[in-house]
Amino acid sequence: MTDRTMKERKTREWLDSRATSRRRFVAGALGTGAAVAAPAVLTGARAAGEFKMATFLALSGPASLFGPTQTACAKLAIDQINAGGGIGGRKVTVIPADGGATPAEAAKAAIRLMLRDKVDLVLGSHNSAVREAIVAALKGRVPYVYTPLYEGGECNPNVYVTADTPQQQVQPSISWLAKTLGAKSYYLIGNDYVWPHKTNEQAKKYIAAAGGKVVGEEYLPLGAPNKFEDAVTRIKAKKPDLVVITLVGGDNVNFNRTFAGFGLDKSIKRVSYLLEELTLFGIGAENSAGLYSAMSYFVNEKSEPNAKFKAGFAKAFAPKPPPLSMLGADVYSGVYCAKALVEKAGGTKDAGKLMAAADNLQYRTATGSGVMTNRHVVKDMYLAECKGTSFDIVQTFKAVAHGQTCS
Amino acid sequence: MTGDSGGPLFSFSGVTGGYGATTVVRSVGGAVAAGEACCVLGRNGVGKTTLMRLLTGHLPLQSGSVSFDGQPLDGLAPDRRHNLGLVYCPQERPVFDNLSVRENLSLMSSAEVEGRYAPYFAAFPILEARMAQSAGTLSGGERKILSFVRGAAEPGRLLLLDEPSEGVQQENVERMAGFLHEAKAGGRGLLIVEQNLAFALEIADRVIVMDHGEVVLAGAAADMTEATLAAHMHV
Amino acid sequence: MDPILTTNILNVVYEVSTLAVVVLGLAVVFGLLGVMNLAHGEFVMIGAYCAFFVQAQNLPFLAAVPLALLVCAVLGLVVERLLVRPLYARPFDTLLATWGLSMLLREAVEAVYGRGFRSVATPLTGSVDVFGADYPSYRLLLTVVSIALVAGLVWWFVRSATGRRIRAVVNNPELAGSVGIPVTGLARNTFVFGCCLAALAGVMLAPLLPVNPTLGLDFILKSFFVLVVGGLGSLVGLISGSGVIGGVESVVSAFLDRTYGYTTVLIIAILFLWLRPNGLFPRT
């Protein structure tokens, strides 16, 4: 037995013993006659009474910029579901946890939520390091829905990914841009961690397929106070047709401002794979010419379901709703995915049944519906061009494959 | 001659203090009248410099009082005491090493250096020769001269000198004595810490001898024999 | 000359000169007061938000300069009186106190403006032809203003009476008091001055940065390295430190990439701490 599993077991035993002693106390308070039967009755009643959902959202850390929209979207979906009778007739309650915590802290929180709070399901929007820690902590004993765009490859049992994958983001958008813009040469720039590398792996595949070539590729440290004068000068020297950007947050803002500041926006197009409304706002209207983004959600998407979703959001959080974006809409869809999954499987106890139910599971999303295969989602993707600080969808790609085989 | 208010120009009593919780100087008292020189004598390490720092406000008093012109100086910062008329030339690090000789002399006044210090430059031509040099490059004795000149030329009515003759050549010590006699004649009060007994007795009207932080002997300089004083200074 | 090489050279000059302006206030305060103000970056951040505020009110960009100076001067006065002065000569306590202050300022700005990025439009768009290379006009202007600011300050520091007195206090605070320099008042003014310089840097850099509450954190570490290399307490040290840190980072970044740039700077900083802890121009 490794140190870590020892530690986990000890933690669990400790938590269990606390839970047991609390039950004993409750039983004692109820009177000696009921003492033996009470624990079972109590837990049974509670389990049937409410559906406990733990949410790991960005309450702290660099992504906490998205915390308010995530929390609001989760609340909106759950309020709607509860108004319609809950999940499988059970009222949904939320136990919030911090997805911005370190992986070790998140794992501890997951264990506590599973063993002490006995949550029925975990939903998370956070980075992959935290996801791996939570997966390791839960070990498939509780269903886990993961919602933000990521690098792909999550195939652990009882884990359900509603996120955009690189295949979905990159394949249709690169092919379209190559054809429409006639882009032949490409420059790849991203932060140095798994998602940009995996995304660029896909990008290079489709660039080659479209007959283009990569003239430069560079990665900058994540979380460092990066400046981009040197990178922009290199790009200026290489004169690519399209820059593929997998920088995140402040780096994405900074790069695009520097890029336009050096006047490169006049001759070179850009596509960014993590560019939503809040980041675009930071980039600013005068720096966003010739900049594209490809994701499964934009606030400006014109469908009927999105109009309804936005109206519901605006009404629920009036008079001052938090700024809506992809990372919130994801969570909204994830909650509906959880509902569809649990109802189709007839409960959350049996991982086998849940995983079987996930196959071809259809559920409601902010912009319509998604279909789950291999515990990932086949979905519509959008390519948007920036117009000032808003997105103009120039192309919709229907039912894009996620490319995850999980074999 | 006395101060404006009728009492001595400068007086202190029960002065007790030191560094942090350590008491170095215990209950030292004394007075300097205008036109009079008081010398503080004693071996190394008996608290003379500490006394000077207590009187000039660089160290807080643990107890006792200091007054200038009849006004208490309690809690006043060194620069405020300076502005009242206390001019202090410390023993250690007597000049600003990173400033030139000229900058040292013109730090607090925009007036032309050459005119203001003319008599001093006549006595100590070395200073004028080194005007543009940074003070840190001067010898120890030259720094003492620079410090002395800076202080002596200031208008303040009380001059506190901590070992002005240390490391200074004999002929220059004699010139210093000359300026100090002039200062006395001009009505300034002098409080001087010295090891050079001959120099001290040449200027002093009154003498305070310290040992272990306390006054062991005090009185008019005329009443002291050199032998008595020497006995206190060399054990 | 090759336009790309020209652009790279201008980038290096830009990085070194703007870095020098950011560190200037920090170095002046440290030199005189011995206080390492870890909230220095937050004053830069507040300056940047002043630029944002002014633009949001449709006022001319330059109106941000007096606003930022006023806000940071008042803030600096309060901080000096309540936080810095009681902790003089207690360097570690000052580090903790100013670090706490930096958190407080970040949270305060976040409470007003939220965590989101704010965009400050560049007041001067377009580019200028410099020896065949197109260089953004605002960056060029910023480089010139930064160099002028640093040069002006050095000149003032060397030539003015106040500059002489500041140098005197740095060299020998006890003697400074004895010759009548109001050390406490001078220290207060210097601290406020340092805060104002940070605010000015914030206004100037705002159009080029992702303006958000954590902006200041990006500056403090590099400023630290500059002081480690340059030595504490002299302007020559500050300028050479900015030159070494900013210059090495941007040259290495231009010819290799940013990761190598950071690594080289870290190695230089460690070597200095190890072999020459007082920097190139140590305090006398």
Side-chain angles (χ1 to χ4, degrees):
Chain A
M1 196 186 252
T2 65
D3 261 13
R4 189 155 156 221
T5 50
M6 276 278 272
K7 225 173 171 180
E8 275 175 21
R9 211 179 70 169
K10 275 194 180 146
T11 314
R12 244 176 285 142
E13 281 167 0
W14 179 74
L15 289 167
D16 281 344
S17 72
R18 282 188 49 171
T20 315
S21 64
R22 198 170 50 226
R23 279 201 296 273
R24 283 207 193 101
F25 173 77
V26 173
L30 284 172
T32 42
V36 182
V41 170
L42 278 178
T43 48
R46 193 169 57 185
E50 54 187 30
F51 185 95
K52 287 187 168 189
M53 185 186 292
T55 55
F56 281 86
L57 304 179
L59 306 182
S60 71
S64 61
L65 166 60
F66 304 111
T69 178
Q70 290 176 345
T71 308
C73 285
K75 185 175 178 339
L76 179 66
I78 287 163
D79 287 353
Q80 286 175 352
I81 286 169
N82 280 338
I87 294 181
R90 292 156 68 191
K91 182 176 177 293
V92 185
T93 56
V94 168
I95 304 178
D98 186 8
T102 62
E105 284 166 5
K108 266 191 261 172
I111 289 172
R112 196 174 58 236
L113 288 161
M114 174 169 65
L115 298 176
R116 195 186 69 191
D117 299 314
K118 307 227 181 298
V119 296
D120 295 284
L121 183 137
V122 174
L123 180 136
S125 180
H126 41 69
N127 66 34
S128 287
V130 168
R131 185 191 72 244
E132 281 163 11
I134 293 177
V135 166
L138 297 179
K139 293 195 171 64
R141 284 169 292 184
V142 175
Y144 172 32
V145 177
Y146 182 65
T147 69
L149 61 79
Y150 88 126
E151 64 280 358
E154 176 57 66
C155 290
N156 283 293
N158 220 5
V159 181
Y160 309 88
V161 181
T162 63
D164 297 2
T165 63
Q167 286 86 345
Q168 289 172 317
Q169 290 193 279
V170 172
Q171 189 269 324
S173 59
I174 287 283
S175 307
W176 189 92
L177 290 165
K179 210 172 98 197
T180 315
L181 305 175
K184 294 277 174 241
S185 58
Y186 296 77
Y187 197 101
L188 315 182
I189 183 166
N191 282 118
D192 201 358
Y193 71 105
V194 59
W195 175 75
H197 283 280
K198 291 278 184 190
T199 301
N200 282 342
E201 222 172 75
Q202 294 295 322
K204 282 187 264 187
K205 208 162 91 190
Y206 296 113
I207 288 167
K213 78 174 192 294
V214 175
V215 294
E217 181 176 3
E218 66 176 286
Y219 296 93
L220 289 94
L222 183 66
N226 290 319
K227 301 182 88 184
F228 293 92
E229 283 79 7
D230 52 307
V232 165
T233 306
R234 271 192 290 275
I235 293 172
K236 193 179 171 182
K238 298 275 189 187
K239 298 191 177 67
D241 298 318
L242 184 69
V243 180
V244 176
I245 305 163
T246 43
L247 296 162
V248 300
D251 278 353
N252 202 8
V253 173
N254 209 347
F255 170 76
N256 283 296
R257 292 182 75 88
T258 309
F259 187 88
F262 275 75
L264 268 55
D265 56 334
K266 293 181 191 73
S267 52
I268 302 172
K269 304 287 183 193
R270 295 165 278 172
V271 59
S272 173
Y273 285 113
L274 184 41
L275 174 57
E276 38 60 68
E277 286 73 12
L278 294 180
T279 308
L280 181 57
F281 194 66
I283 291 170
E286 78 278 16
N287 301 307
S288 69
L291 177 59
Y292 292 84
S293 173
M295 296 194 305
S296 64
Y297 183 81
F298 291 100
V299 176
N300 264 356
E301 199 271 332
K302 298 283 191 280
S303 70
E304 172 91 5
N306 190 31
K308 265 172 82 178
F309 164 63
K310 287 193 292 185
F313 187 84
K315 195 175 153 216
F317 304 105
K320 239 193 133 183
L324 191 55
S325 91
M326 159 92 176
L327 285 128
D330 268 354
V331 171
Y332 178 86
S333 306
V335 174
Y336 272 101
C337 177
K339 171 183 155 73
L341 178 70
V342 174
E343 288 180 347
K344 190 175 170 194
T348 58
K349 296 279 175 256
D350 189 335
K353 269 190 190 166
L354 283 162
M355 280 157 59
D359 224 16
N360 285 314
L361 176 76
Q362 192 150 8
Y363 69 95
R364 172 176 171 179
T365 69
T367 53
S369 67
V371 177
M372 194 167 261
T373 60
N374 291 334
R375 282 172 280 123
H376 284 73
V377 179
V378 179
K379 55 171 102 173
D380 294 351
M381 297 296 294
Y382 306 99
L383 180 69
E385 187 180 358
C386 300
K387 295 285 180 209
T389 51
S390 61
F391 291 100
D392 184 15
I393 295 179
V394 291
Q395 189 68 39
T396 303
F397 308 104
K398 288 283 178 194
V400 180
H402 50 63
Q404 306 297 310
T405 51
C406 286
S407 52
Chain B
M1 238 175 122
T2 58
D4 293 344
S5 51
L9 179 66
F10 184 63
S11 67
F12 49 99
S13 64
V15 167
T16 302
Y19 302 86
T22 317
T23 302
V24 177
V25 170
R26 276 187 199 79
S27 202
V28 173
V32 182
E36 184 188 83
C38 174
C39 275
V40 181
L41 304 173
R43 288 172 295 124
N44 273 331
V46 297
K48 305 186 297 292
T49 294
T50 305
L51 173 66
M52 292 296 253
R53 301 187 68 210
L54 286 164
L55 297 178
T56 48
H58 290 292
L59 287 175
L61 291 182
Q62 286 166 1
S63 63
S65 66
V66 182
S67 68
F68 182 72
D69 239 359
Q71 281 183 11
L73 299 180
D74 302 343
L76 277 190
D79 59 293
R80 301 283 301 280
R81 297 186 195 213
H82 171 270
N83 295 345
L84 288 174
L86 272 71
V87 178
Y88 173 46
C89 300
Q91 179 196 7
E92 299 279 339
R93 305 197 61 205
V95 296
F96 297 106
D97 297 333
N98 62 338
L99 302 187
S100 68
V101 170
R102 179 190 296 278
E103 286 174 325
N104 265 280
L105 293 174
S106 64
L107 193 58
M108 298 312 289
S109 159
S110 53
E112 194 212 354
V113 170
E114 277 76 3
R116 215 155 27 108
Y117 292 97
Y120 298 98
F121 289 156
F124 309 108
I126 186 81
L127 283 188
E128 197 166 19
R130 305 247 154 124
M131 200 78 118
Q133 228 170 291
S134 100
T137 63
L138 301 181
S139 74
E142 286 163 355
R143 274 182 246 188
K144 280 301 215 190
I145 295 173
L146 174 58
S147 169
F148 174 82
V149 167
R150 191 268 303 162
E154 284 199 43
R157 285 186 292 149
L158 181 73
L159 201 48
L160 299 107
L161 307 175
D162 195 346
E163 303 210 13
S165 73
E166 186 186 25
V168 179
Q169 286 176 338
Q170 186 52 35
E171 53 179 33
N172 286 332
V173 173
E174 282 161 19
R175 290 189 186 116
M176 280 183 179
F179 283 113
L180 291 177
H181 280 299
E182 271 178 40
K184 274 165 66 176
R188 298 176 83 183
L190 309 175
L191 184 66
I192 304 171
V193 166
E194 252 313 337
Q195 297 267 27
N196 181 337
L197 205 49
F199 174 59
L201 289 177
E202 148 115 42
I203 334 159
D205 301 296
R206 304 167 61 79
V207 173
I208 294 174
V209 181
M210 283 179 70
D211 201 4
H212 290 101
E214 291 173 356
V215 176
V216 290
L217 187 65
D223 300 342
M224 310 269 176
T225 66
E226 201 160 331
T228 325
L229 293 173
H232 281 285
M233 297 189 58
H234 310 282
V235 176
Chain C
M1 197 153 66
D2 173 29
I4 294 301
L5 182 62
T6 312
T7 310
N8 275 322
I9 292 171
L10 289 172
N11 284 342
V12 173
V13 178
Y14 162 78
E15 189 147 336
V16 170
S17 57
T18 51
L19 182 61
V21 174
V22 171
V23 190
L24 195 58
L26 191 69
V28 168
V29 169
F30 189 88
L32 187 66
L33 284 70
V35 167
M36 183 58 81
N37 179 13
L38 289 181
H40 190 73
E42 275 59 41
F43 284 92
V44 176
M45 182 265 290
I46 290 170
Y49 271 93
C50 287
F52 171 75
F53 174 81
V54 159
Q55 271 193 354
Q57 308 298 314
N58 286 318
L59 294 167
F61 181 77
L62 280 178
V65 173
L67 176 70
L69 293 183
L70 182 73
V71 169
C72 288
V74 171
L75 209 55
L77 267 177
V78 174
V79 168
E80 197 275 340
R81 188 68 197 87
L82 298 182
L83 211 60
V84 175
R85 199 184 301 177
L87 297 177
Y88 276 147
R90 286 161 63 183
F92 187 69
D93 295 345
T94 327
L95 280 184
L96 288 180
T98 54
W99 182 246
L101 173 69
S102 78
M103 289 197 269
L104 184 73
L105 294 177
R106 280 199 294 279
E107 296 292 330
V109 170
E110 192 186 317
V112 178
Y113 286 104
R115 282 177 197 251
F117 299 110
R118 302 289 167 162
S119 165
V120 176
T122 313
L124 190 65
T125 52
S127 56
V128 178
D129 188 307
V130 186
F131 303 116
D134 260 357
Y135 205 75
S137 317
Y138 187 70
R139 277 188 159 71
L140 206 60
L141 176 72
L142 209 58
T143 308
V144 172
V145 170
S146 299
I147 292 173
L149 198 64
V150 173
L153 253 144
V154 170
W155 187 84
W156 175 83
F157 194 66
V158 172
R159 301 302 294 272
S160 76
T162 310
R164 266 202 301 279
R165 285 172 202 163
I166 290 175
R167 280 183 290 145
V169 174
V170 170
N171 179 253
N172 195 337
E174 178 155 332
L175 183 60
S178 288
V179 302
I181 298 173
V183 178
T184 314
L186 197 64
R188 180 196 60 221
N189 294 348
T190 305
F191 187 82
V192 171
F193 180 71
C195 294
C196 288
L197 272 177
L200 193 60
V203 172
M204 285 162 46
L205 290 168
L208 305 179
L209 294 172
V211 177
N212 72 98
T214 60
L215 166 86
L217 291 174
D218 294 352
F219 288 103
I220 199 71
L221 191 65
K222 208 185 273 179
S223 305
F224 226 69
F225 289 163
V226 168
L227 296 183
V228 163
V229 170
L232 303 162
S234 84
L235 282 174
V236 190
L238 159 76
I239 292 161
S240 53
S242 303
V244 171
I245 293 295
V248 164
E249 184 174 309
S250 48
V251 168
V252 173
S253 299
F255 292 105
L256 294 164
D257 69 22
R258 277 280 155 183
T259 309
Y260 284 104
Y262 294 140
T263 314
T264 318
V265 162
L266 273 172
I267 290 171
I268 290 174
I270 291 168
L271 284 178
F272 264 88
L273 282 173
W274 182 23
L275 302 172
R276 208 184 158 102
N278 293 323
L280 288 172
F281 296 90
R283 208 172 166 176
T284 44

